[in-house]
Amino acid sequence: MKKVVLTYDSPGGLEYEQQVFSNFAELVKMPCETEEDLIKNCKDADAVLCVYEPFTAFVMDNLPKLKIIAVKAIGVDTVDIEAAKQRGIAVTNIPEYCINEVADHTVMLILAINRRLIQFHNSVQQDKVWKYDICQDISRLGECTVGLMGFGNIPRLVTQRLRGFGSKILAYDPFVDVKIAKEYGVHLVDIDELYSNSDYICCHLPHNKHTEKMVNREAFDKMKDGVVFINTGRGKVVDEKALIDALDKGKVGYSGLDVLENENPDMNISPLNGRNNVILTPHIAYYSKASIRDAKIHSAENILYYLKGDYEKCSIVNGVNA
């Protein structure tokens, strides 16, 4: 029987994963935080189910039986993809996991900022003031331009949701054909044009060596004064110090962030906390009961199909077919 180690603290039990593996594999839950934890707990594993754990080249060199790293997420930035490929270890993800939830959350942040929801809510609930004119800088969303950084599954769903508001939508994605963008009524542009012409910018880029801190001081300087910046993708794509500076100077008028550079930030000291022009949510754009269920099932199925040799049924991101 194959052995699968689940390396993160999975809430809600392992019912769905166990149903997938049935009598095919033994599933063991052993949460890991460090490379040393992974080496110790996964030394005899044929497969691992992970989320944010550091699967580095060093870790893989010490896991001789490992055949597949199944990431329970869309992004795989905590796994050294090239090192896994060199060692013949497959890496899989779940590309359609939580895409509706993240698209909903993105549009929620846009609408909450556009309609100044937090400001009016706090005025009524905290200040006990019933006034309509405390925010006089509200723009009609249909007269605004929304720029999407990336045009994969999630920003395409964002586009569908925004279409009813009448906003002009731009997108930057060097890997997407212009014909696909046109099908969605989206103008495909280069990154500088997106920066300079967007009233709202939504970041949906994956984190990798090419995108790390891509949204930096230079990028913010190219944006409109008072731009709204939304990030429901990966925190490390953004230079957080540059964002804070842009907020301090008013270059960024409002921001809605579901992710930060640090996956476990100390909000007692975060300079992003306590600002009335920043909405923060704790990396929960992905969450619904349905998305959690689907993620558990599909990530486990990647392992099941891979170990059975049904590679066409797996979402393999590094091209390793045993």
Side-chain angles (χ1 to χ4, degrees):
M1 181 177 286
K2 303 295 186 182
K3 182 174 181 179
V4 179
V5 177
L6 189 144
T7 59
Y8 60 94
D9 188 12
S10 175
L14 304 177
E15 174 187 358
Y16 294 113
E17 295 93 339
Q18 287 170 337
Q19 286 176 357
V20 170
F21 293 128
S22 186
N23 295 321
F24 178 79
E26 174 192 11
L27 177 62
V28 180
K29 178 180 175 181
M30 302 187 76
C32 304
E33 295 184 1
T34 66
E35 291 177 303
E36 290 72 21
D37 291 340
L38 291 170
I39 292 168
K40 176 183 176 182
N41 295 334
C42 305
K43 61 181 180 297
D44 56 350
D46 298 284
V48 293
L49 271 168
C50 63
V51 182
Y52 298 120
E53 298 74 65
F55 278 92
T56 63
F58 174 68
V59 169
M60 294 179 218
D61 283 339
N62 286 276
L63 301 178
K65 290 186 62 180
L66 189 63
K67 300 175 182 66
I68 175 173
I69 299 169
V71 183
K72 189 181 75 74
I74 298 173
V76 293
D77 45 302
T78 58
V79 179
D80 188 330
I81 302 299
E82 188 58 34
K85 184 175 183 178
Q86 292 171 359
R87 289 155 179 77
I89 300 171
V91 179
T92 62
N93 71 340
I94 40 178
E96 295 189 0
Y97 154 64
C98 74
I99 57 177
N100 280 289
E101 286 81 0
V102 178
D104 291 345
H105 200 88
T106 301
V107 176
M108 179 272 294
L109 289 171
I110 292 172
L111 289 172
I113 290 171
N114 176 259
R115 299 306 304 167
R116 306 295 187 258
L117 176 65
I118 302 300
Q119 286 81 356
F120 282 113
H121 172 82
N122 289 342
S123 176
V124 173
Q125 294 282 358
Q126 297 178 11
D127 302 334
K128 313 301 180 187
V129 173
W130 188 268
K131 291 187 67 177
Y132 71 91
D133 59 351
I134 62 167
C135 297
Q136 299 186 28
D137 60 343
I138 299 175
S139 299
R140 179 178 291 167
L141 188 56
E143 296 178 359
C144 295
T145 297
V146 178
L148 304 174
M149 298 179 66
F151 200 63
N153 289 328
I154 292 170
R156 293 177 196 186
L157 291 174
V158 170
T159 297
Q160 292 176 347
R161 286 153 172 74
L162 287 176
R163 188 174 293 140
F165 294 98
S167 303
K168 180 179 179 180
I169 302 177
L170 309 177
Y172 161 76
D173 195 321
F175 303 103
V176 170
D177 191 285
V178 66
K179 293 180 180 178
I180 294 176
K182 285 183 177 179
E183 290 175 7
Y184 286 85
V186 168
H187 303 272
L188 208 59
V189 297
D190 64 36
I191 192 63
D192 285 350
E193 187 174 349
L194 184 140
Y195 286 154
S196 62
N197 289 289
S198 300
D199 302 295
Y200 290 74
I201 294 177
C202 302
C203 185
H204 299 286
L205 297 176
H207 171 243
N208 54 48
K209 63 182 180 181
H210 303 294
T211 62
E212 181 156 347
K213 295 192 177 182
M214 176 177 169
V215 187
N216 51 27
R217 195 173 306 278
E218 182 181 356
F220 285 117
D221 286 343
K222 293 176 181 178
M223 297 178 191
K224 286 186 176 183
D225 291 342
V227 68
V228 175
F229 182 75
I230 307 287
N231 191 5
T232 54
R234 284 289 184 262
K236 290 184 179 180
V237 174
V238 180
D239 183 335
E240 207 163 277
K241 290 182 179 179
L243 172 58
I244 291 165
D245 186 55
L247 284 162
D248 288 342
K249 293 178 178 178
K251 184 67 178 183
V252 173
Y254 293 85
S255 190
L257 306 171
D258 186 55
V259 287
L260 301 178
E261 274 192 58
N262 186 339
E263 189 59 38
N264 295 291
D266 183 350
M267 298 315 298
N268 292 302
I269 61 173
S270 172
L272 286 166
N273 208 9
R275 295 172 181 260
N276 62 10
N277 61 342
V278 176
I279 298 177
L280 297 170
T281 54
H283 202 163
I284 49 86
Y286 73 93
Y287 183 82
S288 74
K289 291 186 290 185
S291 71
I292 294 299
R293 175 201 65 213
D294 292 349
K296 286 171 173 281
I297 292 171
H298 294 156
S299 57
E301 286 178 339
N302 274 332
I303 291 176
L304 177 71
Y305 293 139
Y306 188 85
L307 294 180
K308 285 186 173 183
D310 294 331
Y311 306 125
E312 72 281 355
K313 295 181 180 179
C314 308
S315 178
I316 301 171
V317 300
N318 66 339
V320 175
N321 293 342

